[in-house]
Amino acid sequence: MRILHTSDWHIGRTFHKLSTLSAFESVFKALESIVREKKVDVVAAAGDIFDSSTPSADAVRLLDSILLRLSDAGARVVLTSGNHDSPARLGAKAPFAHKAGIHVLTETDGLAAPITIPDEHGDVAFYGIPFIEPALQRHVWTDADVMKSQKDALGYALKLVRSDFAERGGRSIVLAHTFVQGADGESCDSERDIVGGIDKVPVDYFTDFTYAALGHIHGRAKLADSVRYSGAPLHYSFSEAGKARGGWLVDLDANGLAGVEWVDLPVPRPLSVITGTLEELLVDDAYAAIESNWISATITDPVRPVNTLRRLQERFKHAVEITFAPSYIHNDGGASYAEKVAGKTDFELVDVFLETVRNGEGVTNEEADVMREVIGDGSLV
């Protein structure tokens, strides 16, 4: 059996207030081609299918289209809900989807009842563990010793899974949306925590299964041969710039895990982070190759330029983020503003004010000429 492990689709998410639906559509056309070309039997998506618990109609229609196309390409689909999803909304059509080979696992009361998918060596059991909010679940799992954290919740959920699997035997795949120890270096700005806090779960919670397909971290990560994060199919923040997008092709044989291979997905529009004065960024030929990328610019001018974003977009159409970090910081000796303006003339007051807000640059010669016309010898006319 060949499984394609993905996660964190976040359908409906915006990127700096811009829709990502068309980008997501293009990426999943490529994923559909991978399913056909690589002869994928099962696509596993480990949570955060939608970006919101109340997805838009367009987001819902796009998901329906994607799932049907993956099914038409010859793959079964197994997906779970993440902390961004509403289990009830995502799972609303689960009974109908099941008939089409699309298995939506969002309920904790059925997590120990796997979806079984056969290959030439027998059945493979797919256990879907949705994101679990301990505060809500402790009233359901009343026999649990403690239910205060994700570690507690996942520990109890996996206890139920192991109990079923001990009787069933064979090969097992676990899908879980959580934060596992060791994935810290792959976290990024776009992993927003919507429902409660997500504490860390030990890796060895998952190592006795044939494969653990994890979600929540937006960068790929290998925590053990059989325990991995696939990351998100799109870049959702500039902290993800340069990180590969794709999924893990997981091959099973009669004995269990036979191999894992990374497969890339295309990046519709790469992300670039650039630094320099505004003038440097506007004229430097070194940036010619990235003019069509998403751009986050750090502007190092000592004085903040006027209309920075508009001017930057004249060259970089998709510049969406600006940070000001002056290359020179004026040292005013620690004097308070009141001390700096005490006893000053009107002309000097303006000069001190501009020097304060302009990082040490006071009145220019041109501004001084205008002020002299208005202020004259230092008193208001």
Side-chain angles (χ1 to χ4, degrees):
M1 179 179 292
R2 173 163 283 181
I3 302 162
L4 178 58
H5 166 201
T6 72
S7 73
D8 295 273
W9 295 357
H10 288 280
I11 301 175
R13 186 157 195 160
T14 59
F15 181 75
H16 291 269
K17 301 182 180 180
L18 300 169
S19 173
T20 62
L21 289 180
S22 62
F24 196 86
E25 169 72 19
S26 69
V27 166
F28 266 75
K29 283 182 179 178
L31 188 141
E32 181 185 353
S33 297
I34 290 170
V35 168
R36 294 183 186 277
E37 294 168 7
K38 300 290 187 179
K39 303 187 184 308
V40 172
D41 300 298
V42 181
V43 175
D48 279 357
I49 307 304
F50 289 119
D51 189 58
S52 167
S53 60
T54 55
S56 68
D58 287 340
V60 173
R61 281 192 289 267
L62 180 56
L63 176 61
D64 289 346
S65 172
I66 289 166
L67 294 178
L68 288 174
R69 281 156 39 198
L70 292 175
S71 179
D72 290 342
R76 302 276 287 272
V77 182
V78 181
L79 57 87
T80 56
S81 52
N83 55 304
H84 284 247
D85 297 308
S86 162
R89 287 179 184 274
L90 182 61
K93 294 183 283 188
F96 302 99
H98 182 76
K99 297 293 185 181
I102 299 167
H103 311 287
V104 185
L105 310 177
T106 65
E107 300 298 329
T108 56
D109 59 3
L111 58 79
I115 298 298
T116 56
I117 300 176
D119 65 7
E120 64 270 28
H121 305 297
D123 286 345
V124 177
F126 287 78
Y127 295 92
I129 302 178
F131 174 80
I132 302 172
E133 175 56 41
L136 300 177
Q137 201 62 30
R138 69 169 62 104
H139 304 293
V140 179
W141 291 337
T142 54
D143 59 331
D145 295 332
V146 63
M147 188 63 58
K148 295 181 179 180
S149 67
Q150 274 284 297
K151 180 180 178 181
D152 299 334
L154 262 293
Y156 189 86
L158 290 170
K159 175 183 175 182
L160 298 177
V161 168
R162 287 190 183 91
S163 177
D164 177 84
F165 186 66
E167 297 182 11
R168 192 179 300 273
R171 296 160 295 168
S172 58
I173 306 295
V174 172
L175 286 73
H177 192 89
T178 191
F179 194 178
V180 178
Q181 289 175 353
D184 310 53
E186 294 296 332
S187 60
C188 59
D189 295 342
S190 65
E191 292 149 10
R192 293 176 286 130
D193 189 358
I194 298 298
V195 184
I198 300 182
D199 53 306
K200 299 175 185 178
V201 176
V203 177
D204 60 11
Y205 273 26
F206 300 97
T207 51
D208 55 342
F209 297 99
T210 306
Y211 184 80
L214 303 179
H216 179 59
I217 302 301
H218 288 187
R220 66 179 178 184
K222 174 186 172 183
L223 307 183
D225 285 343
S226 61
V227 183
R228 302 178 187 236
Y229 283 99
S230 65
L234 287 177
H235 292 117
Y236 291 118
S237 73
F238 281 100
S239 65
E240 300 171 45
K243 290 186 178 181
R245 303 289 87 168
W248 294 108
L249 280 175
V250 180
D251 287 318
L252 306 184
D253 60 17
N255 298 317
L257 187 63
V260 183
E261 174 189 356
W262 178 257
V263 58
D264 285 310
L265 285 170
V267 177
R269 190 180 305 283
L271 281 65
S272 294
V273 179
I274 58 179
T275 301
T277 66
L278 180 59
E279 186 63 23
E280 289 170 348
L281 300 182
L282 291 177
V283 302
D284 194 336
D285 290 339
Y287 300 115
I290 63 169
E291 288 179 355
S292 62
N293 290 8
W294 293 115
I295 296 294
S296 172
T298 298
I299 306 299
T300 60
D301 294 71
V303 178
R304 182 175 301 202
V306 177
N307 296 325
T308 308
L309 182 59
R310 180 185 61 76
R311 294 176 61 193
L312 199 63
Q313 287 174 338
E314 291 174 0
R315 181 179 189 185
F316 305 100
K317 180 180 178 181
H318 302 288
V320 293
E321 181 178 84
I322 292 178
T323 302
F324 292 98
S327 57
Y328 165 75
I329 303 297
H330 174 63
N331 183 1
D332 60 6
S336 69
Y337 187 72
E339 291 171 333
K340 288 189 286 185
V341 300
K344 302 294 186 183
T345 66
D346 295 326
F347 190 102
E348 291 169 334
L349 282 174
V350 174
D351 187 48
V352 170
F353 172 76
L354 292 178
E355 185 180 74
T356 301
V357 299
R358 288 178 172 177
N359 192 29
E361 182 175 318
V363 175
T364 65
N365 291 335
E366 294 80 4
E367 291 167 341
D369 291 339
V370 174
M371 289 176 60
R372 289 188 184 95
E373 292 181 14
V374 177
I375 299 177
D377 62 358
S379 301
L380 289 175
V381 177

